[in-house]
Amino acid sequence: MTSKHRRQAAFRRLHEAMVDLTALMNVPQRDEALIAEAGVQLDRALFPLLVGIQRFGPISVGELAERAGRDHTTVSRQVARLAELGLVERRPGAVDKRVKEALITDAGRQVTDALDAARQRIAGPVFEHWSDRDVLELERLMRRFVDDLVSLSAVAKEDT
């Protein structure tokens, strides 16, 4: 098999793995199990938004909706709920005061910290038999892959 054919086969297997991973991550019971393991009281629909705000905030509702693949109106209502719970704060945007940004509060960070710790406990058995080198290599390659995809997406947006 030529290098070109091996690379094409590897791309197919990589795509299959990403589809499998996406399907696995989108199973609602996984979020419920993580929330239960973290010992937090949080509606499953709000969980990915809170994590997104923690990771990318301050962030506009529009950008958050785009990243979450949800309707802007729905996300706006859910972010308002997170604000009512004291987990996020809404403020005028730094660049455009008409745009509301969401940012995590100390209480919200306590929830995401508990979720991070629970995620690590749940994932622990997966990596139990992996060497430190393998875990670090996976992290390095995943970060590189995502960064390159983001860069490619940014270039595509500039061209349109």
Side-chain angles (χ1 to χ4, degrees), residues 91-101:
R91 68 176 188 201
V95 175
D96 184 345
K97 301 293 183 206
R98 297 170 298 174
V99 174
K100 288 282 191 179
E101 294 178 332

Side-chain angles (χ1 to χ4, degrees), residues 18 48 52 58 86-87 96 105 126 139 150:
M18 289 188 301
L87 302 177
D96 184 345
T105 62
V126 172
E139 183 271 332
V150 168

Side-chain angles (χ1 to χ4, degrees), residues 11 14-15 18 21 138-152:
F11 284 153
L14 180 58
H15 182 261
M18 289 188 301
L21 180 60
L138 175 64
E139 183 271 332
R140 183 186 71 78
L141 291 172
M142 286 292 293
R143 183 76 266 157
R144 179 180 172 188
F145 179 63
V146 171
D147 289 346
D148 287 351
L149 283 175
V150 168
S151 178
L152 186 63

Side-chain angles (χ1 to χ4, degrees), residues 105-121:
T105 62
D106 288 341
R109 185 161 311 279
Q110 288 176 355
V111 171
T112 59
D113 287 350
L115 291 165
D116 288 344
R119 191 177 296 108
Q120 197 161 3
R121 287 191 301 273

Side-chain angles (χ1 to χ4, degrees), residues 27-51:
V27 173
Q29 293 84 355
R30 291 185 67 80
D31 289 349
E32 291 168 2
L34 180 62
I35 291 166
E37 176 67 26
V40 297
Q41 296 294 318
L42 187 63
D43 185 288
R44 188 177 54 77
L46 301 178
F47 152 70
L49 299 178
L50 180 63
V51 171

